[in-house]
């Protein structure tokens, strides 16, 4: 079983990347957050989940251990396959998914394409007590936990950005990170900076 892959990126596709290691090109399916960190002809190191089926062997790659951990939890739920697991991880940050599971936010989880209300409810039911608490803490680029969105300005900014059609998980994560950098920011500043990150 392949658990780790280190090589050079040959190609980045819509939902996968080709990594050349030892003269062999491996197609690795990745969430958007991981694909966004890969560049053609640049070195890459990925945590791998190797899935063996009767008709295929598939590699799923993640730039960090937390994403792989959450992927394993999600795909351990009946009816949630690797593709749906990747869809969830591509739609919002690990912290947003973990928060949704811990708080039972079925609306947030079912906002992801392919995740119906029943699937979201099953995810909450089976994983609410299994998700490690640290996965629900948003992190800033420096690795420090972001402040929870409890300020009036933060809540106002979230409501405004949601009204513009952005996904709830992405909005909450971005606003939390902005507040972690400067807790005194106004709602207008949060909305302006949030738009810059979300677009």
């Amino acid at each position: 079983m392949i658990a780790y892959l280190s090589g050079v990126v040959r190609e980045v596709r819509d939902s996968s990347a080709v990594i050349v290691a030892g003269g062999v090109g491996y197609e690795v399916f990745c969430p958007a957050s991981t694909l966004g960190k890969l560049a053609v002809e640049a070195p890459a190191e990925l945590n791998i989940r190797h899935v063996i089926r009767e008709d295929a062997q598939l590699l799923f790659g993640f730039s960090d251990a937390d994403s792989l951990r959450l992927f394993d939890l999600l795909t351990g739920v009946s009816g949630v396959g690797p593709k749906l697991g990747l869809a969830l991880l591509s739609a919002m940050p690990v912290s947003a998914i973990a928060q949704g599971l811990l708080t039972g936010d079925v609306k947030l989880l079912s906002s992801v394409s392919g995740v119906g209300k029943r699937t979201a409810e099953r995810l909450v039911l089976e994983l609410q007590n299994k998700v490690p608490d640290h996965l629900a803490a948003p992190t800033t680029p420096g690795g420090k936990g972001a402040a929870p969105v409890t300020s009036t300005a933060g809540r106002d900014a979230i409501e405004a950005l949601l009204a513009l059609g952005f996904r709830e998980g992405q909005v909450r994560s971005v606003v939390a990170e902005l507040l972690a950098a400067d807790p005194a920011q106004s709602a207008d500043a949060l909305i302006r900076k949030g738009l810059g990150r979300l677009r």
Side-chain angles (χ1 to χ4, degrees):
M1 300 291 285
I2 299 174
Y4 170 83
L5 188 62
S6 177
V8 176
V9 180
R10 181 179 179 85
E11 184 180 354
V12 178
R13 301 172 178 174
D14 290 340
S15 60
S16 66
V18 177
I19 310 296
V20 176
V24 179
Y26 298 89
E27 182 175 20
V28 184
F29 294 92
C30 309
S33 57
T34 294
L35 289 174
K37 298 175 182 177
L38 302 178
V40 175
E41 296 187 2
E45 297 182 14
L46 298 175
N47 297 286
I48 299 292
R49 179 57 65 231
H50 188 182
V51 176
I52 299 177
R53 297 176 173 173
E54 290 184 3
D55 58 344
Q57 293 193 37
L58 304 174
L59 299 180
F60 297 90
F62 308 88
S63 58
D64 60 273
D66 285 346
S67 294
L68 174 58
R69 172 63 175 150
L70 189 55
F71 176 78
D72 285 342
L73 287 170
L74 292 169
T75 55
V77 174
S78 175
V80 179
K83 287 187 178 180
L84 194 53
L86 281 188
L88 279 158
L89 287 166
S90 292
M92 61 186 79
V94 167
S95 60
I97 299 172
Q99 287 172 355
L101 293 169
L102 289 170
T103 60
D105 194 342
V106 172
K107 182 179 179 182
L108 170 65
L109 297 171
S110 61
S111 70
V112 177
S113 178
V115 181
K117 183 179 179 181
R118 289 186 179 180
T119 299
E121 290 174 342
R122 188 161 60 247
L123 284 167
V124 169
L125 179 65
E126 295 193 25
L127 300 180
Q128 193 166 36
N129 296 320
K130 294 182 180 179
V131 176
D133 289 339
H134 78 273
L135 292 185
T139 56
T140 62
K144 295 181 179 180
V149 181
T150 57
S151 68
T152 299
R155 290 194 296 269
D156 289 346
I158 287 174
E159 289 182 9
L161 292 168
L162 288 177
L164 293 174
F166 294 106
R167 292 185 182 278
E168 185 173 356
Q170 293 173 314
V171 168
R172 288 186 180 278
S173 179
V174 166
V175 172
E177 290 176 7
L178 290 171
L179 283 172
D182 181 3
Q185 294 183 82
S186 67
D188 288 342
L190 290 169
I191 293 168
R192 184 177 66 255
K193 293 178 182 177
L195 284 171
R197 292 197 184 188
L198 291 164
R199 282 177 173 168

